[in-house]
Amino acid sequence: MKLYYGWVVVAAGALMGCVAIGTVFSLAVFLQPISEATGWSRTGISMAMTLDFITMGVGAFFWGAIMDRFGPRPVMLSGAVLLGLGVALASRAGSLLEFQLAYGLVVGAAAGAIFAPTIATVTGWFEKHRSLAVSLVSAGMGVAPMTISPFAAWLISTYDWRTAQMVIAVMAWVLIVPIALLVRSAPAISGDGAAPGSVAPGDRGMSVGQALRSPQFIVLSLVFFCCCAAHSGPIFHTVSYAIACGLGPMAAVTIYSVEGLAGLGGRLLFGIAGDRFGARPVLVAGLMVQALAAGSYYFTRQLGEFYAVAVVFGVAYGGVMPLYAVIAREYFPMRIMGTVFGAATMVSALGMALGPAVGGWIYDTFNGYGFLYIGSLGIGIGAAAIALAFPPLPSASRRQPQPA
């Protein structure tokens, strides 16, 4: 039986996402070593991650529009080159500002070229198993805490942080550039039981402007924003929080890895559930679990407790993330999917940007992370509440935005 090429795109996207997102989030492992070696504040270093998310979001919109016009391959190659360049420049930074610009702007732009465009591309290759396919790509990104982060921790224990980041930069070039050549746009007609890239006749009348003003896009963006605001702080600061609770650095990194492993399972579980029960109800349930798990970190102190919460939190935040692309594809035609999902990702990136910066400020101000987890609980519950406002899905024959 001939392999459906959509699954090749899924595999390529998963590997690229693992390296790209893993490189971005490895800054959580570098946070304490960089601060100790340079004297830069945690707030200042965390600001690089905040810039990362903002740039990644703006870049996702920019790169998505380019993808809609020229296809995904040139976008992926550009991201691969920029990713290694940004980390290499950050490793040579002589000041906090230089580090923030290199890691926050260049690495962020690179991640924006890989994350949203890859997922948007995959949604066009599948109809029947769309949630599962997108979840598998996202699962590759979820593997990052189990691969790139422990690798970064080992490099730091063997070399200084600058050498460690240079090694990661070279690795990004070696891995992503050749893999990006495998990615291509979905064909316009269906094949092997899929309906990649096909659009209903009514879709042709939907402009980007109409899509971005529609109620479904507004709700999608608000939920995406609150969801990311709720989990970005716990994801980024839990390693430092665990160390502050008396755990060793390597043990603290394993908590991050447990989250990633649980997130991998969550992506597969939620992907299958989304195909069976619908992406929207599964999203609401996942958001509630995520909120409660984030708040539970407030009460954790021992390694076993951290592991227990990390499993639930990882399953929830890992599982809900792929569902946003699936929901977007249900509402909007494939021909503008890159731009629309890029715009939603841009809004969500603002939420992701809050966690690192606010968490660093909370630690520097209150000498602890307690208020971070309380805030994450509240925002997470808000995300679930907003998700209940999704309008009904359009009919299969006419996918027009509803009047604003």
Side-chain angles (χ1 to χ4, degrees), residues 186-241:
I189 58 175
S190 63
D192 295 340
S198 61
V199 297
D203 289 343
R204 300 182 183 279
M206 183 188 292
S207 68
V208 171
Q210 287 177 311
L212 299 184
R213 292 191 300 269
S214 65
Q216 51 265 48
F217 177 79
I218 294 172
V219 174
L220 176 69
S221 299
L222 287 176
V223 175
F224 210 172
F225 171 87
C226 293
C227 172
C228 291
H231 67 226
S232 62
I235 291 173
F236 187 75
H237 287 285
T238 293
V239 171
S240 297
Y241 173 51

Side-chain angles (χ1 to χ4, degrees), residues 200-203 216 330-332 392-400 402:
D203 289 343
Q216 51 265 48
E330 289 175 343
Y331 283 119
F332 306 105
L393 287 174
S395 67
S397 62
R398 186 168 181 81
R399 187 173 292 156
Q400 292 283 7
Q402 300 176 15

Side-chain angles (χ1 to χ4, degrees), residues 245 247 255 299-307:
C245 290
L247 302 182
I255 298 169
F299 303 100
T300 58
R301 296 294 182 273
Q302 305 300 319
L303 182 59
E305 297 171 348
F306 274 104
Y307 283 157

Side-chain angles (χ1 to χ4, degrees), residues 262-298:
L264 176 61
R267 285 166 168 86
L268 299 178
L269 176 64
F270 279 50
I272 295 172
D275 283 331
R276 182 170 183 178
F277 302 109
R280 293 179 298 161
V282 173
L283 174 65
V284 173
L287 289 172
M288 280 302 300
V289 175
Q290 174 188 262
L292 296 174
S296 297
Y297 271 123
Y298 180 84

Side-chain angles (χ1 to χ4, degrees), residues 100-189:
Q100 290 171 335
L101 294 177
Y103 212 99
L105 298 184
V106 183
V107 174
I114 294 174
F115 172 69
T118 300
I119 291 180
T121 299
V122 169
T123 64
W125 280 93
F126 296 88
E127 184 69 31
K128 183 178 179 181
H129 300 295
R130 183 179 293 154
S131 292
L132 178 60
V134 173
S135 294
L136 288 173
V137 175
S138 184
M141 302 174 187
V143 172
M146 296 178 286
T147 54
I148 307 300
S149 294
F151 180 58
W154 177 81
L155 288 173
I156 293 170
S157 68
T158 307
Y159 308 99
D160 63 279
W161 73 269
R162 294 184 184 276
T163 302
Q165 286 201 337
M166 182 60 73
V167 171
I168 292 176
V170 174
M171 179 192 68
W173 280 323
V174 171
L175 290 178
I176 300 185
V177 171
I179 295 298
L181 297 174
L182 297 175
V183 180
R184 66 188 189 207
S185 299
I189 58 175

Side-chain angles (χ1 to χ4, degrees), residues 38-61:
T38 62
W40 301 337
S41 71
R42 294 193 185 195
T43 302
I45 300 170
S46 299
M47 187 60 65
M49 183 63 89
T50 297
L51 291 174
D52 228 324
F53 290 132
I54 293 174
T55 307
M56 182 169 65
V58 175
F61 180 68

